[in-house]
Amino acid sequence: MEYKEIAQELKKEIYRPVYFFHGPEPYFIDRLTQYIQDNALGETEKSFNQTILYGKDTDSETVINSARRYPMMVSRQVVIVREAQNLKNIDNLRFYIEKPQKSTILVINHKHGTLDKRTKLFKSLKNHAVIFESKKIPDYKVPEWIRKYTGRKNLSIDAEASVLMTEFLGNDLDKITHELDKLLLAMPGDTKQITTSDIERNIGISKEYNPFELNKALAEKDVFKANRIIRHFGKNPSEYAMPMIIGSLYFFFSRVLAYHFLKPEERKDRKTVASRIKAYPNSIWQYENAAKKYHYKKAAKIISYLREYDLKSKGLNNVSASEGELLKELVYKILH
């Protein structure tokens, strides 16, 4: 089942005997698990009828015995297994899942990866449980996700601010929501839109010195601005790690290269461009500008530079150059 389908069922108080949530994105897994933990039982019912186990501290036999118990003075009990990826002999859970207790809601929270679909356990789950696979959101879709998240809080966020957060925080939804929730608490009550200034002031992301601004400077071939930004990065290596900067540049120039190979009719519609090069629609102008200034052969060469300097930043073919010095060399090669 999809996340929305499960969430809608839960809001209607429709509960199934077994839920199995797994995948690389923990945010959605934790949200569904927490909803069941908070709402499946009343507060007075939880002390006797809600059991929370942790994979590293328990085993499959304990989970099965807990799930087979009968509820006390109510119609159902809840058993939640958090961090089930650490559960010993997890495959043995299939013996319970094939014949689950109707009065038990068993939630198996398996994070940071998917269960092998070839296992006997997965085959049992497929036939007898609600399975949800929580996938990572692609980077280019994160700004839109941020916009929707703030919209649910009755606020809007301008396009540049959402892209800035994505560039700085990546697609780690737990980290993004944590920072957004802190920001929302700090905002004045009459605030209607979050801007880059709000991000800079409350989250500590500089609107002037960040990978997003470096990409913009390079797209315009603004030598002065690009060098000013990397000097700042070089002075603050703990805050602006080389892998993060190279990752941002790699995504940027990969999209520039992809833009070069679009057909003329495809370039007329920005939604089509965004879909084809996997970019946020409001940032398409950057790739258009960069494609005018960087021939496709140069864009391909830049990607090879990024791979080279990623290895150098990790010590390969680099005896003594600092990250700041490597960044200067890299940006010089990109611009010239």
Side-chain angles (χ1 to χ4, degrees), residues 3 19 30 86 89 95 103 112-113 122 129 161 177 187 236-237 260:
Y3 177 85
Y19 292 94
D30 285 337
N86 299 318
N89 301 318
F95 299 119
S103 57
H112 308 301
F122 190 86
T177 53
M187 300 291 285
N236 300 275
H260 273 293

Side-chain angles (χ1 to χ4, degrees), residues 309-325:
Y309 278 81
D310 180 51
L311 292 173
K312 283 187 175 182
S313 73
K314 294 168 183 171
L316 189 66
N317 297 324
N318 174 32
V319 178
S320 60
S322 66
E323 286 193 357
E325 291 168 334

Side-chain angles (χ1 to χ4, degrees), residues 266-323:
E266 291 176 321
R267 297 184 187 183
K268 293 177 182 178
D269 179 47
R270 287 199 166 187
K271 287 185 178 179
T272 301
V273 174
S275 175
R276 291 295 305 277
I277 72 172
K278 307 296 184 188
Y280 186 53
N282 284 358
S283 64
I284 294 302
W285 62 271
Q286 291 184 65
Y287 307 108
E288 291 174 344
N289 287 351
K292 293 173 184 174
K293 292 179 168 59
Y294 297 91
H295 188 269
Y296 77 88
K297 288 184 180 179
K298 177 65 175 180
K301 188 67 176 175
I302 288 169
I303 289 170
S304 71
Y305 290 149
L306 293 172
R307 290 175 178 145
E308 174 190 348
Y309 278 81
D310 180 51
L311 292 173
K312 283 187 175 182
S313 73
K314 294 168 183 171
L316 189 66
N317 297 324
N318 174 32
V319 178
S320 60
S322 66
E323 286 193 357

Side-chain angles (χ1 to χ4, degrees), residues 33-292:
T33 302
Q34 194 64 44
Y35 188 92
I36 294 170
Q37 181 177 326
D38 292 344
N39 296 282
L41 295 171
E43 287 302 319
T44 58
E45 299 166 345
K46 290 177 182 177
S47 56
F48 292 108
N49 297 290
Q50 184 163 275
T51 304
I52 300 174
L53 303 168
Y54 288 84
K56 66 178 180 179
D57 300 322
T58 191
D59 54 38
S60 57
E61 185 179 348
T62 302
V63 174
I64 291 170
N65 289 337
S66 299
R68 282 183 174 157
R69 285 201 310 259
Y70 287 96
M72 294 181 63
M73 298 178 287
V74 291
S75 61
R76 65 189 176 213
Q77 69 156 340
V78 176
V79 177
I80 296 172
V81 187
R82 291 187 176 273
E83 308 288 349
Q85 69 274 11
N86 299 318
L87 185 68
K88 296 173 186 175
N89 301 318
I90 189 172
D91 204 53
N92 290 341
L93 290 181
R94 72 184 189 276
F95 299 119
Y96 172 82
I97 288 160
E98 287 167 3
K99 292 183 179 179
Q101 190 89 344
K102 291 182 180 179
S103 57
T104 295
I105 301 168
L106 174 61
V107 182
I108 305 169
N109 176 313
H110 183 290
K111 296 195 293 189
H112 308 301
T114 55
L115 182 68
D116 188 339
K117 295 178 182 178
R118 298 167 296 180
T119 61
K120 292 179 181 178
L121 173 59
F122 190 86
K123 291 171 184 175
S124 296
L125 288 164
K126 192 174 180 181
N127 293 326
H128 302 284
V130 171
I131 301 176
F132 166 64
E133 184 177 342
S134 184
K135 298 176 182 177
K136 284 283 187 184
I137 293 180
D139 286 352
Y140 74 96
K141 289 187 176 180
V142 174
E144 179 64 13
W145 188 89
I146 291 172
R147 188 190 66 77
K148 289 179 179 178
Y149 184 86
T150 54
R152 291 195 295 271
K153 307 286 185 178
N154 298 316
L155 278 172
S156 64
I157 182 169
D158 69 38
E160 191 164 320
S162 62
V163 172
L164 175 59
M165 285 197 72
T166 304
E167 287 285 341
F168 198 80
L169 300 173
N171 64 349
D172 186 330
L173 299 187
D174 278 329
K175 189 184 292 184
I176 289 170
T177 53
H178 177 70
E179 293 296 343
L180 279 172
D181 289 344
K182 283 199 307 182
L183 172 62
L184 295 174
L185 285 172
M187 300 291 285
D190 59 348
T191 302
K192 293 185 179 178
Q193 186 178 52
I194 299 169
T195 66
T196 53
S197 296
D198 297 320
I199 299 292
E200 181 178 26
R201 186 166 53 251
N202 293 286
I203 298 181
I205 304 172
S206 170
K207 66 180 180 181
E208 188 174 1
Y209 300 109
N210 60 72
F212 176 56
E213 288 299 316
L214 177 59
N215 291 342
K216 284 171 63 177
L218 293 173
E220 297 291 337
K221 282 204 168 182
D222 188 331
V223 177
F224 177 77
K225 184 178 179 181
N227 282 307
R228 189 180 67 208
I229 292 170
I230 61 168
R231 278 198 300 271
H232 181 81
F233 288 170
K235 292 176 183 177
N236 300 275
S238 60
E239 189 175 350
Y240 301 95
M242 189 90 167
M244 176 184 72
I245 297 164
I246 287 180
S248 176
L249 290 168
Y250 177 82
F251 280 118
F252 182 81
F253 281 101
S254 294
R255 288 163 182 160
V256 172
L257 187 59
Y259 185 89
H260 273 293
F261 290 98
L262 293 177
K263 297 175 182 176
E265 58 269 23
E266 291 176 321
R267 297 184 187 183
K268 293 177 182 178
D269 179 47
R270 287 199 166 187
K271 287 185 178 179
T272 301
V273 174
S275 175
R276 291 295 305 277
I277 72 172
K278 307 296 184 188
Y280 186 53
N282 284 358
S283 64
I284 294 302
W285 62 271
Q286 291 184 65
Y287 307 108
E288 291 174 344
N289 287 351
K292 293 173 184 174

